[in-house]
Tab-separated table of all heavy atoms in Angstrom:
chain	number	residue	atom	x	y	z
N	1	SER	N	0.845	-1.193	0.000
N	1	SER	CA	0.000	0.000	0.000
N	1	SER	C	0.882	1.246	0.000
N	1	SER	O	2.054	1.198	0.372
N	1	SER	CB	-0.909	0.010	1.233
N	1	SER	OG	-0.142	0.271	2.412
N	2	PHE	N	0.291	2.371	-0.421
N	2	PHE	CA	1.052	3.618	-0.439
N	2	PHE	C	1.516	3.990	0.970
N	2	PHE	O	2.619	4.490	1.157
N	2	PHE	CB	0.191	4.733	-1.039
N	2	PHE	CG	0.962	5.975	-1.384
N	2	PHE	CD1	2.034	5.922	-2.262
N	2	PHE	CD2	0.616	7.203	-0.840
N	2	PHE	CE1	2.760	7.063	-2.584
N	2	PHE	CE2	1.332	8.351	-1.154
N	2	PHE	CZ	2.403	8.279	-2.030
N	3	ASP	N	0.676	3.720	1.970
N	3	ASP	CA	1.046	4.017	3.362
N	3	ASP	C	2.256	3.194	3.800
N	3	ASP	O	3.133	3.688	4.519
N	3	ASP	CB	-0.137	3.743	4.296
N	3	ASP	CG	-1.241	4.782	4.164
N	3	ASP	OD1	-0.972	5.859	3.598
N	3	ASP	OD2	-2.368	4.519	4.622
N	4	GLN	N	2.299	1.931	3.383
N	4	GLN	CA	3.445	1.082	3.730
N	4	GLN	C	4.722	1.599	3.075
N	4	GLN	O	5.790	1.612	3.704
N	4	GLN	CB	3.181	-0.360	3.282
N	4	GLN	CG	2.149	-1.106	4.110
N	4	GLN	CD	1.883	-2.499	3.566
N	4	GLN	OE1	1.631	-2.665	2.370
N	4	GLN	NE2	1.945	-3.500	4.429
N	5	ILE	N	4.604	2.018	1.833
N	5	ILE	CA	5.775	2.536	1.116
N	5	ILE	C	6.281	3.808	1.780
N	5	ILE	O	7.481	3.988	1.992
N	5	ILE	CB	5.420	2.798	-0.364
N	5	ILE	CG1	5.064	1.480	-1.055
N	5	ILE	CG2	6.591	3.471	-1.084
N	5	ILE	CD1	4.536	1.649	-2.460
N	6	ILE	N	5.358	4.698	2.116
N	6	ILE	CA	5.736	5.956	2.766
N	6	ILE	C	6.474	5.690	4.078
N	6	ILE	O	7.517	6.279	4.365
N	6	ILE	CB	4.497	6.827	3.027
N	6	ILE	CG1	3.929	7.353	1.707
N	6	ILE	CG2	4.839	8.001	3.956
N	6	ILE	CD1	2.609	8.083	1.865
N	7	ALA	N	5.900	4.801	4.886
N	7	ALA	CA	6.476	4.524	6.209
N	7	ALA	C	7.909	4.012	6.116
N	7	ALA	O	8.751	4.335	6.968
N	7	ALA	CB	5.603	3.517	6.956
N	8	SER	N	8.208	3.230	5.083
N	8	SER	CA	9.546	2.653	4.981
N	8	SER	C	10.525	3.530	4.193
N	8	SER	O	11.726	3.518	4.468
N	8	SER	CB	9.461	1.270	4.312
N	8	SER	OG	8.936	1.374	3.006
N	9	VAL	N	10.013	4.304	3.230
N	9	VAL	CA	10.897	5.027	2.321
N	9	VAL	C	11.094	6.488	2.697
N	9	VAL	O	12.212	7.024	2.577
N	9	VAL	CB	10.363	4.930	0.867
N	9	VAL	CG1	11.205	5.771	-0.072
N	9	VAL	CG2	10.336	3.486	0.411
N	10	LEU	N	10.032	7.155	3.154
N	10	LEU	CA	10.132	8.587	3.429
N	10	LEU	C	11.259	8.946	4.392
N	10	LEU	O	12.004	9.905	4.131
N	10	LEU	CB	8.795	9.130	3.941
N	10	LEU	CG	8.737	10.637	4.154
N	10	LEU	CD1	8.972	11.392	2.850
N	10	LEU	CD2	7.390	11.056	4.756
N	11	PRO	N	11.439	8.224	5.515
N	11	PRO	CA	12.550	8.567	6.415
N	11	PRO	C	13.916	8.494	5.731
N	11	PRO	O	14.807	9.302	6.021
N	11	PRO	CB	12.430	7.514	7.531
N	11	PRO	CG	10.995	7.101	7.509
N	11	PRO	CD	10.611	7.126	6.063
N	12	VAL	N	14.079	7.536	4.817
N	12	VAL	CA	15.358	7.395	4.109
N	12	VAL	C	15.578	8.592	3.190
N	12	VAL	O	16.673	9.176	3.148
N	12	VAL	CB	15.378	6.086	3.285
N	12	VAL	CG1	16.677	5.983	2.491
N	12	VAL	CG2	15.208	4.881	4.194
N	13	ILE	N	14.539	8.981	2.453
N	13	ILE	CA	14.653	10.129	1.548
N	13	ILE	C	14.981	11.396	2.329
N	13	ILE	O	15.877	12.162	1.960
N	13	ILE	CB	13.336	10.326	0.756
N	13	ILE	CG1	13.113	9.150	-0.193
N	13	ILE	CG2	13.369	11.637	-0.028
N	13	ILE	CD1	11.811	9.212	-0.953
N	14	GLN	N	14.266	11.609	3.425
N	14	GLN	CA	14.471	12.833	4.202
N	14	GLN	C	15.832	12.867	4.883
N	14	GLN	O	16.353	13.946	5.174
N	14	GLN	CB	13.346	12.989	5.228
N	14	GLN	CG	12.001	13.297	4.572
N	14	GLN	CD	10.888	13.466	5.587
N	14	GLN	OE1	10.789	12.722	6.556
N	14	GLN	NE2	10.029	14.448	5.363
N	15	SER	N	16.423	11.707	5.108
N	15	SER	CA	17.763	11.675	5.717
N	15	SER	C	18.849	12.003	4.695
N	15	SER	O	19.961	12.348	5.054
N	15	SER	CB	18.032	10.291	6.330
N	15	SER	OG	18.193	9.312	5.320
N	16	LYS	N	18.515	11.907	3.410
N	16	LYS	CA	19.509	12.113	2.364
N	16	LYS	C	19.297	13.390	1.562
N	16	LYS	O	20.215	13.861	0.891
N	16	LYS	CB	19.515	10.910	1.413
N	16	LYS	CG	19.953	9.603	2.075
N	16	LYS	CD	19.938	8.450	1.089
N	16	LYS	CE	20.418	7.165	1.753
N	16	LYS	NZ	21.840	7.230	2.143
N	17	LEU	N	18.090	13.964	1.624
N	17	LEU	CA	17.796	15.182	0.873
N	17	LEU	C	17.506	16.343	1.817
N	17	LEU	O	16.774	16.183	2.794
N	17	LEU	CB	16.578	14.970	-0.045
N	17	LEU	CG	16.729	13.989	-1.210
N	17	LEU	CD1	15.404	13.876	-1.956
N	17	LEU	CD2	17.825	14.441	-2.154
N	18	PRO	N	18.050	17.531	1.539
N	18	PRO	CA	17.802	18.702	2.400
N	18	PRO	C	16.459	19.361	2.067
N	18	PRO	O	16.398	20.434	1.462
N	18	PRO	CB	18.982	19.619	2.060
N	18	PRO	CG	19.274	19.302	0.623
N	18	PRO	CD	19.008	17.823	0.460
N	19	VAL	N	15.378	18.697	2.457
N	19	VAL	CA	14.038	19.216	2.161
N	19	VAL	C	13.614	20.151	3.298
N	19	VAL	O	13.271	19.699	4.395
N	19	VAL	CB	13.021	18.072	2.001
N	19	VAL	CG1	11.642	18.638	1.657
N	19	VAL	CG2	13.475	17.101	0.919
N	20	LEU	N	13.638	21.447	3.044
N	20	LEU	CA	13.288	22.412	4.078
N	20	LEU	C	11.787	22.498	4.293
N	20	LEU	O	11.304	22.509	5.416
N	20	LEU	CB	13.840	23.797	3.711
N	20	LEU	CG	15.351	23.911	3.559
N	20	LEU	CD1	15.739	25.344	3.213
N	20	LEU	CD2	16.044	23.461	4.841
N	21	PHE	N	11.037	22.568	3.179
N	21	PHE	CA	9.579	22.685	3.304
N	21	PHE	C	8.927	22.353	1.961
N	21	PHE	O	9.595	22.228	0.935
N	21	PHE	CB	9.174	24.093	3.740
N	21	PHE	CG	9.468	25.158	2.708
N	21	PHE	CD1	8.504	25.541	1.769
N	21	PHE	CD2	10.707	25.785	2.666
N	21	PHE	CE1	8.788	26.505	0.824
N	21	PHE	CE2	10.995	26.755	1.712
N	21	PHE	CZ	10.030	27.124	0.787
N	22	GLY	N	7.624	22.197	2.007
N	22	GLY	CA	6.843	22.013	0.788
N	22	GLY	C	5.746	23.062	0.766
N	22	GLY	O	5.313	23.546	1.816
N	23	LEU	N	5.323	23.445	-0.423
N	23	LEU	CA	4.264	24.442	-0.562
N	23	LEU	C	3.028	23.757	-1.141
N	23	LEU	O	3.027	23.338	-2.302
N	23	LEU	CB	4.713	25.578	-1.479
N	23	LEU	CG	3.828	26.832	-1.468
N	23	LEU	CD1	3.830	27.484	-0.095
N	23	LEU	CD2	4.313	27.824	-2.521
N	24	ALA	N	1.997	23.627	-0.319
N	24	ALA	CA	0.758	22.977	-0.755
N	24	ALA	C	-0.169	24.019	-1.371
N	24	ALA	O	-0.475	25.034	-0.751
N	24	ALA	CB	0.068	22.317	0.431
N	25	ILE	N	-0.594	23.766	-2.604
N	25	ILE	CA	-1.521	24.663	-3.298
N	25	ILE	C	-2.779	23.863	-3.625
N	25	ILE	O	-2.736	22.918	-4.411
N	25	ILE	CB	-0.906	25.227	-4.590
N	25	ILE	CG1	0.425	25.922	-4.280
N	25	ILE	CG2	-1.874	26.191	-5.272
N	25	ILE	CD1	1.181	26.363	-5.517
N	26	ILE	N	-3.878	24.240	-3.008
N	26	ILE	CA	-5.141	23.512	-3.183
N	26	ILE	C	-6.099	24.344	-4.019
N	26	ILE	O	-6.322	25.521	-3.733
N	26	ILE	CB	-5.776	23.187	-1.814
N	26	ILE	CG1	-4.834	22.289	-1.010
N	26	ILE	CG2	-7.139	22.516	-1.994
N	26	ILE	CD1	-5.318	21.997	0.392
N	27	GLU	N	-6.639	23.735	-5.071
N	27	GLU	CA	-7.596	24.415	-5.936
N	27	GLU	C	-9.026	24.063	-5.538
N	27	GLU	O	-9.282	22.994	-4.984
N	27	GLU	CB	-7.371	24.005	-7.398
N	27	GLU	CG	-6.056	24.463	-7.980
N	27	GLU	CD	-5.922	24.079	-9.448
N	27	GLU	OE1	-6.757	23.285	-9.929
N	27	GLU	OE2	-4.997	24.576	-10.111
N	28	ASN	N	-9.951	24.958	-5.898
N	28	ASN	CA	-11.363	24.646	-5.709
N	28	ASN	C	-11.927	24.047	-6.993
N	28	ASN	O	-11.191	23.764	-7.940
N	28	ASN	CB	-12.146	25.890	-5.278
N	28	ASN	CG	-12.102	27.004	-6.322
N	28	ASN	OD1	-11.805	26.776	-7.492
N	28	ASN	ND2	-12.397	28.221	-5.887
N	29	ALA	N	-13.240	23.872	-7.049
N	29	ALA	CA	-13.880	23.224	-8.193
N	29	ALA	C	-13.763	24.027	-9.483
N	29	ALA	O	-13.968	23.490	-10.571
N	29	ALA	CB	-15.352	22.962	-7.882
């Protein structure tokens, strides 16, 4: 599942990439 992938992979990515922040842009209909 996507949740399983995130749980195992995201910590590894964040330990290797200097990700300061993300900008979420949400559109309406």
Side-chain angles (χ1 to χ4, degrees):
S1 71
F2 193 58
D3 288 344
Q4 288 177 310
I5 296 173
I6 290 173
S8 61
V9 175
L10 185 61
V12 177
I13 293 177
Q14 291 181 318
S15 70
K16 296 180 178 294
L17 293 178
V19 181
L20 299 181
F21 67 93
L23 193 63
I25 305 173
I26 298 176
E27 294 183 349
N28 62 19

